[in-house]
Amino acid sequence: MKIVMIKKIIYISLIWMVFHGASLHAASLLVEAESFTEKGGWVVDQQFMDLMGSPYLLAHGLGSPVENASTNVQLPENGTYYIFVRTYNWTSPWQEGEGPGLFGLSVNGKKISYRLGIIGNQWIWQYAGQYQATEKNIHIVLHDLKGFDGRCDAIYFTTRKDDIPPSDMAALNNFRRAKLGLLAPPKTESYDLVVIGAGIAGMSTAVSAARLGCKVALINDRPVVGGNNSSEIRVHLGGAIEIGKYPELGGLQKEFGPVKEGNAQPAGNYEDHKKMEWLQAETNVSLFLNYRAFSVKKEEDRIISITACHIESGEEIEFYGRLFADCTGDGTIGYLAGADYRMGRESRSEYGETIAPEIADSLVMGTSVQWYSVEDTKTSYFPEFRYGIEFNEETCEPVTYGEWTWETGMNKNQINDSEQIRDYGMLVIYSNWSYLKNQSERRKYYKKRSLEWVAYIAGKRESRRLLGDYVLKEDDLTKHVAHEDASFTTTWSIDLHRPDPENTRYFPGREFKATTDHVVIYPYPVPYRCLYSRNIDNLFMAGRNISVTHVALGTVRVMRTTGMMGEVVGMAASLCKKYQATPRDIYHYYLEELKSLMQKGVNKKGLPNNQRYNEGGRLNQIPKVK
């Protein structure tokens, strides 16, 4: 009787599965686009993986289709596969209808779909079509059709048409890990100091600590180092070194700093290779390129480890350390560890800052997407680009390049809205250039000019600021308040960007240009207590995420200054190792020894200083302060 009942239940289940289009067996394969072996002209964009779940491939062709990306994979079995592509219609926040990021997909030479990337208003699994596999080995090709930043995150093959991957971030992350075989524990590394972020601050932190005897891991989520001063973003080094009470601070920059100044200049001006070779020559620094930190493990108020994944292969490494330095700019490690932080502008009354607004708000300095054009020998073409912002003779920007003033997202959250902020920066550049080339009364002037470079890696100025035992404020800077733990010297003016009123007149709430007023300060030595977390015992920070108010950030955020921060953090980390101490202990018990290290410096002596650019301070030659 029981056997008959079991057979009946199985029969009913089979009928139900057939009725609902399911099968007893579903074969599937997830292919991450960033893992393609041949990327052609597509680039890996990891900036927003905390928001949308993964790095992705971007067809950044400035209006000309980029070369195909391709890879070979093996399906689990032969049969009919339904194909879903995770993609995003990136202009959807500003206009309804199809977007410009059109691309296609082919498998073993068969066209699957050439209408991908242009529908929807969020990251979606777009159904591409089906493929009849008569052999397991297949060749996948992505075909960019417009050159306007089409994006492909992943491709999913399944023998069940209703087997659509999840869109919820938590569920999608679990789905990815299961499909990609990432459920096993990651391999581990152990260091005295783990530095996350290889901009100027992170580079300086790592080398300073390494030269003083620390075993250091330096983790960077891009293939190049230098952060905003790399060829990917192209911002010059601001501020001055070799000044103040500790003139040796900043000396490392004489070893790796590029000679040429200027924003939005040719890639070679930023000397990426020089920075990379400099880091690779440091025997105590282990450099991990293309790894993005995404989780933190703690015990009470101490970080035990951070885990990072490779942005192309997905390989994970868990980094254990006694000390950690958050040089991410966004304060990512501090945030994941539960460190106290602030975003936006404090009220005038909170710290008695005359420059601060009456009421606290969320306004921040924005993100720059820089660009430039070049003169051609013959007439050049640029496609019509009209996707949500319109220009005319009065509102267009009749220029041939855009540097820091092309700034977006000042009224948005620089963490949660970061992809849209970057995308809006590209949107206005393409839209303005299209108008100048195709409609403007000045188009004759532009007919032989073409876009040479538009950044796709965003140049941020402000997001989270991690709070330390001291918060630097306006009075410290303008009244030159003395602190016993004075360390690196800031020289740039209080330079707080805000929406350009002229741009606001034409594009209220959708500004893409910024302006500023420079409040010049006398060179000011910043307290060491601004460089470590007040509630995470073994966390340092260097860069634009240190413990300052929004107003004070206006001076310390430039890169020569952040490099000096890094040198101080590296010195303090070496003392933490020597005395089995915390960053706070260095202030309480070992401050004189830190001062001695700052006096000596860690740089090679006798190198010339061409690192004195300080436009924001309105001083060509800054006097040394005794």
Side-chain angles (χ1 to χ4, degrees), residues 30 84 86 125 155-156 158 162-168 172 175:
L30 177 67
F84 298 89
R86 190 165 189 249
W125 288 99
I155 304 162
Y156 185 56
T158 176
D162 62 347
D163 181 23
I164 305 173
S167 293
D168 171 77
L172 179 58
F175 173 84

Side-chain angles (χ1 to χ4, degrees), residues 17-42:
M17 293 175 74
V18 171
F19 180 79
H20 286 81
S23 66
L24 285 175
H25 175 75
S28 64
L29 175 70
L30 177 67
V31 182
E32 292 282 3
E34 64 270 17
S35 70
F36 272 37
T37 53
E38 299 295 332
K39 295 180 176 62
W42 297 67

Side-chain angles (χ1 to χ4, degrees), residues 191 206-207 210 214-218 279-280 282-287:
Y191 295 87
V207 172
C214 291
K215 181 184 176 185
V216 182
L218 178 58
L279 282 172
Q280 291 172 337
E282 291 293 329
T283 55
N284 273 351
V285 175
S286 297
L287 182 59

